[in-house]
Amino acid sequence: MFVVERTVKLEKGFIDIHKEKMNEYSSIFKSPGFVKREVLISTTNKEFDLIKTLVYFNDKKAYYVWEGSPEHIKMHKEKKENPVKPVGVISVERNYYEHFITNMHE
């Protein structure tokens, strides 16, 4: 599996707005090779909050299919046409991983 990790660092007080956005439907859910999306939230830091999104694809090729899809391109085109920084966002970091192993309780 191929995993895309996106970490959004937020100012305190903006987590609920972003949680609502994460609950909205995304066209990625119907992309060929999409497996699942996990959203993790951390509010333990006194200065900022974190939202970590892990998106799983069958393989790297499936991710590139999504990245090149008309839906994905349209989404980024709209962001370029309206380059307003999302409210409360301090920074965004993206990383890519090849899934190695999952251990589970038996």
Side-chain angles (χ1 to χ4, degrees):
M1 250 187 292
F2 186 72
V3 183
V4 180
E5 171 200 43
R6 183 172 174 242
T7 303
V8 180
K9 187 175 182 179
L10 297 168
E11 297 173 27
K12 286 290 192 181
F14 290 94
I15 194 86
D16 288 338
I17 294 168
H18 291 273
K19 283 169 64 175
E20 283 181 31
K21 290 182 93 172
M22 297 308 296
N23 273 327
E24 294 174 2
Y25 173 82
S26 172
S27 56
I28 195 172
F29 301 155
K30 289 192 175 185
S31 184
F34 170 81
V35 175
K36 67 180 177 176
R37 179 180 74 175
E38 296 178 328
V39 180
L40 310 173
I41 295 172
S42 175
T43 58
T44 58
N45 191 293
K46 293 178 182 180
E47 297 178 22
F48 58 84
D49 293 327
L50 294 174
I51 296 179
K52 185 175 296 280
T53 306
L54 302 170
V55 181
Y56 295 78
F57 293 90
N58 284 335
D59 52 32
K60 192 183 290 189
K61 181 180 177 186
Y63 168 70
Y64 288 127
V65 167
W66 159 248
E67 198 174 52
S69 71
E71 296 88 352
H72 188 253
I73 291 168
K74 179 183 175 194
M75 186 172 55
H76 282 278
K77 183 180 178 186
E78 290 170 357
K79 286 180 183 178
K80 283 181 183 177
E81 291 172 356
N82 185 16
V84 176
K85 184 177 175 183
V87 65
V89 174
I90 298 169
S91 65
V92 178
E93 183 180 320
R94 185 173 306 211
N95 291 294
Y96 305 91
Y97 303 93
E98 293 286 342
H99 181 264
F100 172 61
I101 191 170
T102 299
N103 298 312
M104 299 179 74
H105 180 68
E106 294 181 22

